DNA sequence: GATGAATGAGTATTCATTCAT
DNA sequence: TATGAATGAATACTCATTCAT
């Protein structure tokens, strides 16, 4: 299953694809665009990759791996639940901060119809499972307080920081994705988490 | 600036565009697709609209109007803050439930680069302003507890219910967009709102 | 099942395709070649036809129809068997003489693998059936003297006149496809037919 | 002019080219296809051969040689004319049976325009000359009973057995290229030869 | 002796858009 | 009020061939 390390040229192409797909969406980017951005000829893209779709798949693969790695240690940390949840949110927010393009690319693919849903689902599943395990002690299996709802609510609160940043910035008068903006957002999300925990396990407040 | 009411033919075209753009994204739909779905000739689309972009603009315009109308009365309602917030969330959720395509279309456009950002921003702005007014009494102007953060968090929690539903359904074993799913989601969001209010105005709990 | 008469432009394109496919084979001709030869823009070819393959299918359809029409009256003629066979050979030869490209196009497709075999078979089948009926009185159902063998032998003798003409001409010192050449070939084929009939029904000689 | 004996690697490539060209035609086969089938790298094909065209030339050369060798002894055999003709037909049929691909490859090239005509002619010429010599005693030099007509008729009857086999098989309910099919075809062709000889030299019947 | 890397030229096809009628 | 015809520009992809190593 392990893939041989990509050659420099291929890495360059992949990096360009990553950036462009993130900026303009899969459909908004042509193979020529990717080649130009990478400083290679168009045919070279087809030499190193099987096609445009393969290119996207590799970009996603890399994201998935990085994403999971970024969250693993946070999920596996020990300590009181609240601190662990804060840690996960920080890790999530931090990963997204370093991978601006990710959130938007994925949202774009979701909006493109079912073709990529299976792909995205496979990436999301472990995160959901982790959340469910982590919250098992305070949240029931089913109903409106089930872990899955908190997963959806909190991951949405993290992700949308990035997907909506470009349209919020002018309204906020500051960029939610800037260092300051993210620090503030982080505090907000901690507040939200604590508020939810207060209600779920009142004694612990 | 007012435009004569659209003829039946045009309305048919617009409706098809709305559905298709929502299902497959702007780029994933051709003018021919829209024409076919509407049962008209391709050239008719250009007769009634200025082009594909115009078509999208009209679709968005309609959404904006409907969206705002759906939320206005909820925002203007009187009564205790919590009840009003619940009302807004119910209205938001209800509107989205009836306009499946909206959330995905907008997400798709966000991912397509800055071209449509201004457009989307104009729609979002009033919602943000309303939220800020509504929360003025409990939330400060700036910082991590500012109204705008709650707006982002809660609107994300609503919207993502719809954008992620297709990939969550298999994992949940049930469809978050079904009647049952939405009722449960509604309860969850009320819980979240209450939890946040508890922390913001502890006495009121 | 009837097809509306093709517009002038489409007819022009089809005619060019017919000629070029016959001259250089399906793979040897690009859509651009066809468009140029027809004096239209490349995109016009796609406006009138669904694609290159469709173009070939239409060309073949026309041939099939013309081919069958050319032979029908000959097959349905009354009179002694030998005369009727001569008539069929004359009709076959005449049709091919007017449709130089046909034989070569079909041979080229046969050599391209199974993709077109079904297509070609559907055209050949009626000819084989007719031959079997015509020879029913003198040829057995099975074995080396079955009608199908005579069909294969004689149709080969006709068709190869055209497929091999370009390489035979220099060796013969004259063109087998010229008027004189064809007249001579016709006499030869009559001789062959008579020889075969002599053996099949000796009394009739 | 003599070329050093091809290395094993080259032979492998040539064999693959032969098979593939025969199956899908020259244009339908890419250098990569040949390399893959031979289990070598694509660049190796260009190392051992000058290019795709050279590859085809070598394949044809081999066929020519094999073809001529297969027929030489039959042509040089002694004995009565009819027996010698039967022998040639048997040899021709036998060679084709072992070289399925040959007939179709050559037909495909004929259909590809004049580029390969000269090539093919050089191969055909000796066969025609031999036939003319063999039939010199019974057939005139010119006119519809000239040897060259019998050559065209009989070689067509042999070759078409193979080129049309794939489309005839379903109609015949049996494969003309199977052992049984070929045995039957052989008998048929002997019958045809005898019929022709009967007419050419009636006394000898 | 052999090949990985690279590419120029070409291929079929799509599509938003224009326009004469 | 429509629309059939037409097209320029772009798109993803293929492939024979070259060449430095």
């Amino acid at each position: 299953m392990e893939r041989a390390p990509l050659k420099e040229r291929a890495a360059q192409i992949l990096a360009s694809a990553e950036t462009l797909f993130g900026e303009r969406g899969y459909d908004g980017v042509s193979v020529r665009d990717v080649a130009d951005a990478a400083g290679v000829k168009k045919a070279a893209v087809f030499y190193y990759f099987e096609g445009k779709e393969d290119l996207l798949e590799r970009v996603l693969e890399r994201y998935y791996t990085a994403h999971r790695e970024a969250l693993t240690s946070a999920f596996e940390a020990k300590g009181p639940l609240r601190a662990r949840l804060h840690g996960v949110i920080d890790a999530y927010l931090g990963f997204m901060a370093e991978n601006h393009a990710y959130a938007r690319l994925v949202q774009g693919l979701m909006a493109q119809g079912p073709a990529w849903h299976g792909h995205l689902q496979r990436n999301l599943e472990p995160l959901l499972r982790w959340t469910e395990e982590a919250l098992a002690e305070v949240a029931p299996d089913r109903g409106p307080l089930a872990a899955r709802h908190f997963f959806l609510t909190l991951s949405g609160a993290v992700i949308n920081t990035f997907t909506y940043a470009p349209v919020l910035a002018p309204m906020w008068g500051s960029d939610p994705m800037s260092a300051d903006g993210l620090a503030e957002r982080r505090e907000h999300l901690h507040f939200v988490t604590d508020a939810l925990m207060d209600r779920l396990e009142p004694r612990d407040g």
Side-chain angles (χ1 to χ4, degrees), chain A:
Chain A
M1 249 339 152
E2 281 299 291
R3 192 175 292 283
L6 290 164
K7 310 297 156 45
E8 226 189 298
R9 213 86 183 290
Q12 187 53 245
I13 293 169
L14 209 48
S16 300
E18 185 178 311
T19 307
L20 290 176
F21 285 159
E23 276 169 17
R24 317 208 295 250
Y26 181 69
D27 282 342
V29 173
S30 75
V31 174
R32 151 140 289 138
D33 292 336
V34 174
D36 287 352
V40 304
K41 309 287 178 185
K42 189 169 47 131
V45 174
F46 290 96
Y47 176 71
Y48 286 104
F49 300 91
E50 277 163 41
K52 195 186 172 187
E53 203 166 313
D54 182 40
L55 208 44
L56 174 54
E57 248 158 30
R58 307 298 186 118
V59 166
L60 288 178
E61 244 174 56
R62 280 171 105 218
Y63 271 137
Y64 294 163
T65 308
H67 193 174
R68 234 162 298 166
E69 274 170 14
L71 295 194
T72 300
S73 60
F75 270 116
E76 288 171 350
K78 296 296 168 196
L81 180 54
R82 287 178 187 221
R84 276 156 53 212
L85 286 176
H86 286 189
V88 168
I89 280 173
D90 292 354
Y92 205 169
L93 216 46
F95 171 76
M96 287 293 182
E98 282 176 11
N99 295 279
H100 276 184
Y102 189 16
R104 291 174 71 204
L105 173 54
V106 168
Q107 298 268 30
L109 291 175
M110 286 290 322
Q112 218 138 127
W116 293 95
H117 288 173
H119 224 272
L120 301 171
Q121 194 192 316
R122 279 192 293 283
N123 179 42
L124 231 46
E125 188 140 30
L127 303 188
L128 174 59
R129 298 294 166 227
W130 271 331
T131 316
E132 282 181 333
E133 279 170 37
L135 294 178
E137 21 179 321
V138 290
D141 270 12
R142 337 194 96 256
L145 301 188
R148 60 199 200 185
H149 277 294
F150 291 105
F151 171 74
L152 178 50
T153 296
L154 288 171
S155 65
V158 171
I159 292 173
N160 284 31
T161 307
F162 297 89
T163 50
Y164 279 98
V167 306
L168 291 175
M171 276 150 54
W172 285 24
S174 69
D175 184 358
M177 290 193 316
S178 68
D180 283 359
L182 287 174
E184 193 180 294
R185 185 75 189 150
R186 179 171 163 276
E187 273 189 67
H188 169 78
L189 291 170
H190 286 193
F191 173 88
V192 171
T193 319
D194 290 341
L196 294 173
M197 293 308 288
D198 281 352
R199 270 232 154 188
L200 283 173
E201 36 162 29
R203 286 155 301 280
D204 189 38

